[in-house]
Amino acid sequence: MKEDTSSYYQHQLDIYCFLLTKNGYKTASYAYLVYYYPKPVAENGQVDFEIEPKKLETDITRAEKLFKDAVECLKGPELKHHSDSACKFCNWALKHLENKIMDIQKIKIKGDYKLADIVHDIEKGILRIPQFQREFVWDKPRVIKLLESIYLEYPIGSFFFWDAPRKYYDFYRDIAELGLPKPDKYEKIVFILDGQQRLTSLYVTVKGLTLYGRDYKKICFDLDEKVFVDRTPDNQRFVSVSDLLSNERYAVYDNLTVERKKSFNECFQRFNNYPFSAIDVRDKELDEVCDIFERINQGGQKLNLFDLISASTWTPDFDLRVAVKAENERLKTKGFGEIDNEVYLQTLSLIAKGSCTRPVQLQLRAEDVTKYWQETIESISLAIDYLRSNLGVVNSVFIPYRSMIALVAYLFYKVKGRSLNHEQSELLAQWFWQTTFSERYSASILTLMTEDRKLMDKIITGNANIKYFFELDIDSLIQIRMYRKSAIKNGVLCLLAKRNPRHFKNNMPLPLKDGYYSDFNSSEKHHIFPKSIVQRSYPMIMVHSLPNFCFIPAELNKEISNKKPSRYFEEYEKLNPDFSDTLKTHLIKYDDSIRQDDYLSFLASRAAMILEEITRATGSKIGRVVADNVNKALDDTERKLRDFIDKKLLAKDANYWKKCMPSDIVGVVRQRVNEYLSKDPSKTMSDFGSRELLDFMDIMDYSKIILFNWDVFGSTFRSKAETEKRFLNLKEFRNAVKHGRGEIVPFIQKEGEAALEWLSIILKEVEKKPTVKSVTLAESEEETIKRVKSEFVKQAVKLIPAWIEKEFPDNKLYIKRGKAGSHRSIMHNGKLILFYYFANNWVYGELQMTTPDELKLLQTKLSKPESILDRKGRYGQVRFHMMNENDLKLVQEIIRRRVAE
């Protein structure tokens, strides 16, 4: 035996002693290694051995270090195998690992998780319980409901566990209140990401702990009524749940009556056997875990982003939850009220990362919070002060979108001197009002916020172009209810607050920072037409229409609660010499709708005034046409509309008056033309081309044509209902303007102006988009032949130029190629005779300065005379289709005669 052989077993003996010690067995600091040496074999086959024991010193600390080194190795990066393929161990290991990896489940569902397992795993620190924003354990009434559900064997939902990678170790927080052991950094990390309140509530109840002044040992089971109650246990009828479920429960059990023992046992068995469900996820990053949770809980709420980040960024020196709570307390003392936790995160992320999408927020680390927190809260404070002073956001509940605060805060963080100049203020106001009334943040808010962060940078330089299109009208404002969440509703409240509304009776400014004015949903507050008056004639929901809202102080609400507006307006007009000015601050017009208590007319009148204020605030062009020249605006828009209709229908069919017009419109136009001709005998019907005939139509005729040819106009106007509505509003407005009916009813004016702006925007967009025809590149003859479908058209591509070259070698007649598509022009001495191009199935021709004889020839001999369209214009243009070689010969003959003359 070699002398050094025993050293090979040193680690093994150290580990044996270490394991025995950890399992509660006492060991000495040495061990024996026993050697067996065989002696020569006897004749009968018996083998005797010589035995030699060898004493070795052991060290369990050395063994513990080996274990920890092994754990670190296993949790570290994968070791590279030897490049030498002859290494049998590496080859075996690689093959073994490949098979094992296929067997590892990335997600595991435990369907039979017992209460004893839960208590054990929490007590031993296997399950980590982060202390999130809200209290991590429920109050006793909620705990009792949870216990009742378990006792009745109702489902209580699954728990969601995450076996996290080592880099998320700091995600864990030590919770001294539960008295749990400090985690060993070598132990695996399992976080409770959903169900932590249920689990901790069960734990403190089973252990009988006292937290936040609440003694959970006093949650008892009533053995007679079989219900859970909050009271001092007497160990007779009322037994503490912690005693009932403890290992010493028989000390209580033995002193019970037979019936109560039965109830005791039944309760214990139900809790002991209740199958808790848990979802265990491993090998996932934080964002993946969040996504898994949301997919599992499609019908429930998502993981609270603030909870996750506040836990992951926690340090002994800074607690994000505590900091946010302190800041919100400060905002409450200032009269603004709390803002959502998410706003602080969004602001912090915009400042630190330049974006606030969910993945970016999840990248926030403790050092980011420490570095930028002070600037974050200072910027938010500046933003809130600005919003209150300049944009009517007097209270946090007024803000149209809570995330607006974060973007304004980012702007103040970036701007020099932390104050805005006039141009920046104007641009910020445009963004605020247009974002509100376009309802821009109704979806994909975090993505849009990141886009608007770039806009804020442009606002600083004064280069921002803000235009978010929106459609608002009187009816849509009337339909908004005060008790429903709505950015438009909140935007209107801000507009009203920005006007510094005054008291009806004394013209004193109203203290809108008072919380009283933030209660919009009360059925007794802030109604111009009181509830008691409206509900006599209309459904209750009509009371809460947005235009019926007004900032009215408490004592005035009581005073007018049962009075008709006609009555109390008359009274206050006498008491308040500045009553008309007071009403202007509320955007109220004292007209016949109030004098006659006409509720619907009042809603329309007030909505019109609100719409006008929205127009002014957003910088929209709606309504400005009146100030310039409404007659000119109407005429220009109608002219552009007629040009557009003519252009689109000609592209559809050259003879569109016969095929694309509703018959009733054709009849009406014919009648109007005849009436015109009766006054001007110098003209005939043939003097009017397709475009000129459109001039004899009314506004609603255009609407009918558009709807009748929706296949042509649908992509431009998009909604049939909207098109009908807008044209009807425009008609009423046009009639009122053109026929001089005195003062236009406010809602007709507002609806008409909105319709005119709507149509102007559509026509402007059409003008911006050149037709396909104008942007199509010129085709070569080979490209045209390849594109067209008719054999005649393919031949005509070569036949026409060959014919001209053969018959007119002097170049008096020649072909001029167009700049787009297959456009061609046959020229004679520099003048156009025939314009043509190659369609898929025919050759399109347009003869210039057509004589009556030439027209008659085309009408009698052309194979498709219905394709002929006489434009009856000053240039004598006649359009037609050449379908075959005979049609081409006919046109050639007309051209020959022209040249011969």
Side-chain angles (χ1 to χ4, degrees), residues 686-735:
S686 61
D687 289 323
F688 298 98
S690 60
R691 169 62 185 82
E692 288 81 4
L693 290 174
L694 294 176
D695 292 335
F696 290 89
M697 292 186 177
D698 289 335
I699 286 287
M700 294 310 295
D701 295 332
Y702 305 137
S703 174
K704 288 182 181 178
I705 294 170
I706 290 168
L707 296 173
F708 190 76
N709 296 278
W710 195 249
D711 59 318
V712 174
F713 297 104
S715 60
T716 302
F717 291 90
R718 299 185 181 179
S719 167
K720 288 184 178 181
E722 191 69 18
T723 299
E724 283 188 288
K725 172 186 169 184
R726 294 293 189 181
F727 272 95
L728 183 60
N729 292 338
L730 187 59
K731 175 191 173 185
E732 293 179 356
F733 179 55
R734 183 186 184 280
N735 289 343

Side-chain angles (χ1 to χ4, degrees), residues 788-800:
V788 300
K789 298 178 181 179
S790 165
E791 286 301 320
F792 159 69
V793 179
K794 291 179 186 292
Q795 294 170 9
V797 173
K798 298 286 187 180
L799 284 175
I800 296 174

Side-chain angles (χ1 to χ4, degrees), residues 179-198:
L180 301 177
K182 294 282 185 181
D184 191 303
K185 67 178 182 178
Y186 296 102
E187 292 180 358
K188 71 173 183 176
I189 301 174
V190 180
F191 291 122
I192 306 168
L193 290 187
D194 187 49
Q196 55 93 10
Q197 288 177 306
R198 285 168 287 160

Side-chain angles (χ1 to χ4, degrees), residues 189-219:
I189 301 174
V190 180
F191 291 122
I192 306 168
L193 290 187
D194 187 49
Q196 55 93 10
Q197 288 177 306
R198 285 168 287 160
L199 287 169
T200 49
S201 296
L202 284 172
Y203 180 77
V204 298
T205 302
V206 171
K207 302 302 289 185
L209 302 180
T210 298
L211 289 140
Y212 307 121
R214 299 192 291 257
D215 186 355
Y216 289 90
K217 191 174 181 63
K218 289 186 177 181
I219 296 181

